[in-house]
Amino acid sequence: MLLSEQADRRRTFAIISHPDAGKTTLTENLLLAGGAIRMAGEVAARGERRRTTSDWMKIERDRGISVSASVMTFEYRGNVYNLLDTPGHEDFSEDTYRTLTAADCAIMVLDAAKGIEPQTLKLFEVCRLRDIPIVTFINKMDREALDPLELLDQIQDQLQLDCAPLFWPAASGQRFGGMVDLRSGDFLHYSKKTADEGLTPGESPRVELESVREQVDPSALEELEEGSEMAREMLPEINKQAFLEGHMTPVVFGTALRHFGVGELLNVLEEFAPAPRPQACEKKDQPHTLERGDKGVAGFVFKIQANMDPNHRDRVAFFRICSGEFKRGMRLKINDGKQINVHNPMMFLAQDREIAETAYAGDVIGIPNHGQLRVGDSLSESGDIKFAGIPNFAPEILRRARTKDPMKAKHLRKALESLAEEGVTQLFKPSIGSDMIVGAVGALQIEVMAERMVNEYGLDVLFEVAPYNVARWIHCDDDSVLSAFLDKNKSASGTDLDDAPVYLAKNAWDVGYAQEKNPEIRFTATKERSN
Ligand code: G4P
């Protein structure tokens, strides 16, 4: 197969949702429908076995959540799907955001009884920032749901996203009878069978509504007929261009738990999800757009994961390929001029890891390394490609890190730097004093960090309340103005891991005040890493 054909058949997507909306159940069922796993429960066996393969840390097991995102690859009807897993817990980390930078498309899962929830909104905003097109899956239709029109109104009002329902449901909960395909008029009958009774995870059979009329609750049929007519009249038809530009979302209803609507969702991805998108970058320091079919491997590291194998201290860098044909053993150049030989690249097939022999644009491979690679690094065959756009996000929690044993301060600094390089947390050094200030986007990150300090570095670390609560990167086109500002605000400034200046404030009000007094200085909550 030609390079461009291989790239064209890749679909790289993530699932965004509020905790409990059903992301894990849907992931499991997408993998099942795609034939990547044979038995439900392999992604997240409930209870004790839950996520045993991907949760390697005690803290994750204890909480039954996965802190770090991973990738799962499967093939479906000739296309290769790379599903990037974003943790759905409220306490998410920067990883979640960064993972979305590596996705070309997202599935937004809503709980039909709850609609848009806070985390859906937060993750959606990141997708919008990057114009990532979104397919909506309204889950849990087997439970009493909100009125479908109300759900679509919420999407329209809160996300300013036009909704193009591709299906319309026949009621919900006990009366849920299935859904009609608004484009073809076919009816997909929902049967309450269980997996033991021969329920298959793929598409539902399509029938004429008349042939199953007797089996569907009459009031559900009435709702279906009324609702679908209204939807056809009032709501727009799907427009692929509007979807690709991130203005319109196709909507599918279903129940992941009962395997209904999942095959249809995959079909929607097949029909609409974009092949790897062109990527803006710099080539030889000039603005450039990299196309998926371009020769020469190039891509970026969006995530670093440590301890995937507890017997090794290696880190795995998740490398999203944007162009070219990657081959095992290839030598790639990091944008800082260093080289790395990729002998054992990993592919992630469902929960198994395999050595990747070849990979193309859209694919994500894991590169084991001993710390040479950092989040945001660009890797390419030529060495002259540089991507921007893997941002750091201003932490929402700042803590002063201290060891009980003052003799270990140097050791602590090294450990904190190493975790900051991995992108687990951020590290700030105030201009005055020798404090080490750790920043995290969620409280769980601090816990993960404390645990890793003990397990990996043998350090008992206290994370104390810091004198600051807010960090903002500061920029100014005029270096002398910036220096003067830093001089004047020594007690409220410092540097990050890359020595970029930061303003450390007690609260958001202080930032606003400083901004007002210093209009020529920009205070930003994100920092795109410049390599
Ligand atoms: P998450 O990853 O988004 O946090 O959600 P997850 O898939 O873990 O689902 C959260 C809960 O919702 C689970 O129940 C799951 O079984 C249930 N669920 C998911 N999809 C559906 C659906 O389509 N219909 C119904 N009725 N329930 C659904 P739980 O009780 O929290 O967990 P468990 O006891 O089933 O493990």
Side-chain angles (χ1 to χ4, degrees):
M1 213 182 275
L2 291 175
L3 167 66
S4 59
E5 287 170 356
Q6 284 286 11
D8 287 352
R9 69 188 193 110
R10 263 51 186 184
R11 303 286 181 273
T12 303
F13 69 104
I15 302 182
I16 60 170
S17 66
H18 190 82
D20 272 348
K23 185 167 65 87
T24 312
T25 313
L26 179 64
T27 301
E28 193 171 284
N29 280 281
L30 283 171
L31 295 178
L32 264 169
I37 53 173
R38 251 164 268 119
M39 195 190 75
E42 286 188 23
V43 170
R46 305 297 179 195
E48 275 299 293
R49 285 204 311 122
R50 192 174 166 114
R51 288 187 185 249
T52 41
T53 41
S54 66
D55 286 359
W56 65 95
M57 282 189 57
K58 187 171 168 294
I59 187 162
E60 291 183 305
R61 282 198 307 275
D62 288 351
R63 293 195 173 210
I65 54 162
S66 180
V67 177
S68 306
S70 54
V71 53
M72 287 161 263
T73 300
F74 62 94
E75 267 197 65
Y76 179 68
R77 299 212 294 218
N79 281 344
V80 176
Y81 291 85
N82 296 306
L83 166 51
L84 307 176
D85 184 23
T86 51
H89 193 264
E90 255 172 284
D91 238 359
F92 55 93
S93 68
E94 292 189 72
D95 267 353
T96 316
Y97 289 118
R98 294 208 199 101
T99 296
L100 289 173
T101 64
D104 294 314
C105 169
I107 296 177
M108 174 169 74
V109 183
L110 301 183
D111 181 329
K114 297 186 174 151
I116 308 274
E117 296 179 83
Q119 181 117 333
T120 338
L121 201 60
K122 226 167 166 176
L123 290 164
F124 171 78
E125 278 162 9
V126 182
C127 291
R128 166 141 294 169
L129 216 62
R130 304 195 168 256
D131 297 326
I132 296 176
I134 290 180
V135 176
T136 302
F137 184 73
I138 298 187
N139 190 30
K140 303 198 188 182
M141 289 304 293
D142 59 323
R143 292 210 184 140
E144 263 335 292
L146 296 173
D147 182 76
L149 273 176
E150 184 187 338
L151 283 162
L152 302 191
D153 265 356
Q154 281 190 13
I155 300 173
Q156 179 83 47
D157 290 351
Q158 294 185 40
L159 311 181
Q160 276 87 49
L161 202 55
D162 290 335
C163 290
L166 301 179
F167 297 88
W168 201 261
S172 64
Q174 285 296 326
R175 293 183 304 128
F176 184 49
M179 58 191 182
V180 70
D181 180 331
L182 289 175
R183 292 185 294 175
S184 68
D186 294 339
F187 187 68
L188 288 78
H189 186 212
Y190 171 66
S191 85
K192 288 184 184 140
K193 273 190 194 161
T194 64
D196 299 339
E197 293 159 344
L199 188 77
T200 50
E203 295 164 61
S204 302
R206 290 167 173 261
V207 294
E208 294 261 342
L209 179 55
E210 289 315 314
S211 68
V212 288
R213 193 170 268 281
E214 304 288 290
Q215 298 163 46
V216 182
D217 186 292
S219 67
L221 273 181
E222 216 169 281
E223 276 179 39
L224 171 73
E225 276 157 5
E226 211 174 282
S228 58
E229 204 178 304
M230 238 152 64
R232 282 200 182 96
E233 273 171 24
M234 289 166 44
L235 294 166
E237 276 182 29
I238 182 73
N239 172 326
K240 192 165 179 179
Q241 197 51 33
F243 160 72
L244 290 175
E245 287 167 5
H247 307 309
M248 182 181 266
T249 180
V251 182
V252 179
F253 295 84
T255 148
L257 190 67
R258 316 281 317 181
H259 305 298
F260 186 80
V262 178
E264 288 68 28
L265 179 63
L266 262 182
N267 292 345
V268 170
L269 284 186
E270 180 180 304
E271 188 177 350
F272 295 102
R277 305 205 294 168
Q279 300 276 343
C281 61
E282 280 185 5
K283 187 173 182 174
K284 297 197 170 87
D285 296 325
Q286 294 301 313
H288 181 74
T289 303
L290 200 68
E291 302 282 346
R292 60 179 174 272
D294 287 354
K295 287 208 179 79
V297 172
F300 57 87
V301 173
F302 65 94
K303 173 186 162 65
I304 303 271
Q305 195 159 309
N307 293 347
M308 284 188 79
D309 181 345
N311 297 320
H312 298 96
R313 275 291 202 80
D314 279 2
R315 299 174 185 179
V316 174
F318 287 81
F319 173 52
R320 152 79 205 232
I321 301 176
C322 300
S323 70
E325 178 177 18
F326 171 85
K327 285 202 159 73
R328 180 182 178 190
M330 208 169 222
R331 177 175 297 182
L332 295 177
K333 292 185 183 139
I334 312 175
N335 41 269
D336 61 6
K338 288 189 205 125
Q339 296 202 1
I340 183 160
N341 281 333
V342 191
H343 292 302
N344 295 308
M346 295 180 199
M347 278 277 270
F348 304 86
L349 300 165
Q351 289 303 290
D352 290 331
R353 278 176 248 152
E354 282 193 358
I355 296 290
E357 296 296 339
T358 50
Y360 300 89
D363 287 341
V364 172
I365 55 172
I367 305 180
N369 70 101
H370 305 290
Q372 298 98 314
L373 292 173
R374 287 180 56 182
V375 167
D377 274 346
S378 304
L379 281 179
S380 60
E381 274 185 274
S382 59
D384 56 14
I385 305 262
K386 210 162 83 179
F387 295 90
I390 299 281
N392 278 121
F393 292 87
E396 286 168 17
I397 298 165
L398 294 176
R399 292 281 180 270
R400 177 177 19 215
R402 194 166 67 77
T403 48
K404 286 182 188 148
D405 178 356
M407 301 298 286
K408 291 201 168 148
K410 212 168 147 191
H411 191 165
L412 173 64
R413 177 172 297 280
K414 276 219 127 28
L416 292 175
E417 279 173 3
S418 165
L419 292 193
E421 279 169 11
E422 247 181 62
V424 174
T425 38
Q426 296 177 38
L427 181 64
F428 301 105
K429 189 181 169 309
S431 306
I432 300 174
S434 56
D435 276 351
M436 285 170 258
I437 304 292
V438 168
V441 179
L444 188 64
Q445 273 174 281
I446 302 279
E447 282 181 46
V448 169
M449 187 167 206
E451 174 112 352
R452 290 190 54 186
M453 283 290 164
V454 176
N455 292 343
E456 291 169 40
Y457 299 93
L459 286 169
D460 211 351
V461 184
L462 300 170
F463 291 97
E464 301 170 334
V465 174
Y468 328 98
N469 291 307
V470 181
R472 289 285 178 272
W473 283 278
I474 40 183
H475 319 261
C476 183
D477 297 332
D478 186 338
D479 287 346
S480 61
V481 173
L482 189 60
S483 307
F485 175 81
L486 289 170
D487 266 352
K488 223 170 101 194
N489 292 279
K490 269 213 170 80
S491 60
S493 61
T495 49
D496 71 2
L497 187 71
D498 300 317
D499 284 332
V502 261
Y503 183 68
L504 297 164
K506 279 202 188 63
N507 49 43
W509 190 88
D510 277 357
V511 179
Y513 186 75
Q515 174 74 86
E516 209 179 297
K517 293 274 162 210
N518 301 277
E520 64 286 17
I521 301 220
R522 279 177 296 125
F523 295 74
T524 62
T526 52
K527 185 185 83 160
E528 308 253 326
R529 239 192 89 197
S530 54
N531 293 298

